[in-house]
Amino acid sequence: MGRTVVAANWKMHKTAGEARTYVEKLLELVPSRLEFELIVFPSATALYVVAQVLRGSPIAWGAQNAHWETQGAYTGEISVNQVADLGAAYVLCGHSERRHLFGEDDATVAAKVRSVLAGGLVPVLCVGETLEQRRGGDAWDVVTAQLSAALKDIGPDAADRLVVAYEPVWAIGTGVAAQPEDAQSMAHDIRSWLTELFGSEGAEIPVQYGGSVKPNNADAFLQLPDVDGALVGGASLDPKEFWTIACSAVPR
Ligand code: PEP
């Protein structure tokens, strides 16, 4: 069985103090051994305190964003080295809010994926179509264009250090999740595409679903044959709710 990855994207929520309280509560809920990878993505300002609490625990942490250069005159940015120094093991790349609200194009996302891998961390590459693109029958073309741009320069040796999140833009933060059969079909096609690119290693890359995953629909997504976990935004802000979702990832 491949890897399963359940991740909490807190977006721009929680002070460092609130982050501490959250991870302390989450730790009380989580057993000492987990059957899947569990990750929290706090704001950069809370990474230090999250690292203090979670170090040595089964819960990993990551950064929501990182610049593609290792250092330099990039006011307001943070580097992969800087988040790695705080023990972060993952970085979100190409989240639709970065693409659509901050103008990150495919070339930027590709540069970030390369720099995350070069820094020894795991990029969680987010891909997904808008509602207009889905209605126009272009969902698959959009997703493959995003995958191709981000991964074309990545060698197969990096395949075991990648996670892909299929996140239809229209499902993010809207309360309207994809139909599980659509998520399954897209995850299946993404896996085939990754296998074509990377060979058998590509088939093992976890493909998450993200977009309005909640405790009441988590089972429907996390038990799908080609969906290897979830990227959870709004419903991850409460540790109990997030853990309830994560429990749906336990193989049945
Ligand atoms: C996300 O931010 O990646 C996300 C999927 O958000 P939400 O769960 O709120 O739709």
Side-chain angles (χ1 to χ4, degrees), residues 1-241:
M1 204 188 61
R3 291 157 59 206
T4 300
V5 183
V6 181
N9 174 16
W10 296 353
K11 315 194 188 205
M12 198 172 70
H13 293 284
K14 299 192 188 300
T15 62
E18 289 163 349
R20 174 185 287 281
T21 306
Y22 178 111
V23 283
E24 283 172 351
K25 279 196 188 145
L26 186 59
L27 263 186
E28 284 170 17
L29 299 169
V30 171
S32 54
R33 282 178 75 89
L34 276 174
E35 294 174 73
F36 50 85
E37 292 166 53
L38 192 65
I39 314 166
V40 290
F41 287 97
S43 297
T45 49
L47 275 173
Y48 181 79
V49 72
V50 163
Q52 277 186 321
V53 176
L54 294 185
R55 212 176 288 280
S57 84
I59 308 170
W61 58 99
Q64 295 175 19
N65 185 31
H67 197 267
W68 60 87
E69 293 290 352
T70 50
Q71 59 182 353
Y74 301 102
T75 302
E77 291 289 333
I78 54 172
S79 71
V80 173
N81 291 352
Q82 288 170 324
V83 298
D85 181 52
L86 295 175
Y90 301 82
V91 180
L92 292 180
C93 294
H95 190 280
S96 77
E97 286 153 16
R98 301 289 324 163
R99 292 181 193 262
H100 296 280
L101 301 175
F102 300 100
E104 283 193 12
D105 60 12
D106 281 341
T108 306
V109 176
K112 289 186 174 191
V113 167
R114 282 195 300 271
S115 102
V116 171
L117 286 169
L121 277 65
V122 174
V124 177
L125 171 64
C126 304
V127 295
E129 80 288 354
T130 63
L131 192 53
E132 207 183 0
Q133 289 162 336
R134 173 158 282 264
R135 285 187 175 147
D138 297 327
W140 178 240
D141 287 349
V142 170
V143 166
T144 44
Q146 291 171 343
L147 287 170
S148 171
L151 301 178
K152 68 178 175 357
D153 297 328
I154 305 298
D157 49 319
D160 63 346
R161 292 192 293 121
L162 283 175
V163 175
V164 171
Y166 168 58
E167 296 212 302
V169 178
W170 45 273
I172 298 178
T174 59
V176 182
Q179 292 301 316
E181 52 273 27
D182 291 337
Q184 162 58 26
S185 148
M186 190 61 95
H188 176 271
D189 291 350
I190 290 173
R191 186 179 316 288
S192 304
W193 189 93
L194 292 168
T195 309
E196 215 161 283
L197 184 70
F198 293 122
S200 58
E201 300 268 301
E204 302 297 318
I205 296 173
V207 181
Q208 300 175 299
Y209 167 75
S212 296
V213 175
K214 311 282 177 204
N216 64 5
N217 65 12
D219 259 3
F221 291 106
L222 288 165
Q223 293 294 319
L224 291 168
D226 280 293
V227 170
D228 308 312
L231 180 54
V232 188
S236 76
L237 292 173
D238 176 80
K240 259 199 189 147
E241 214 171 319

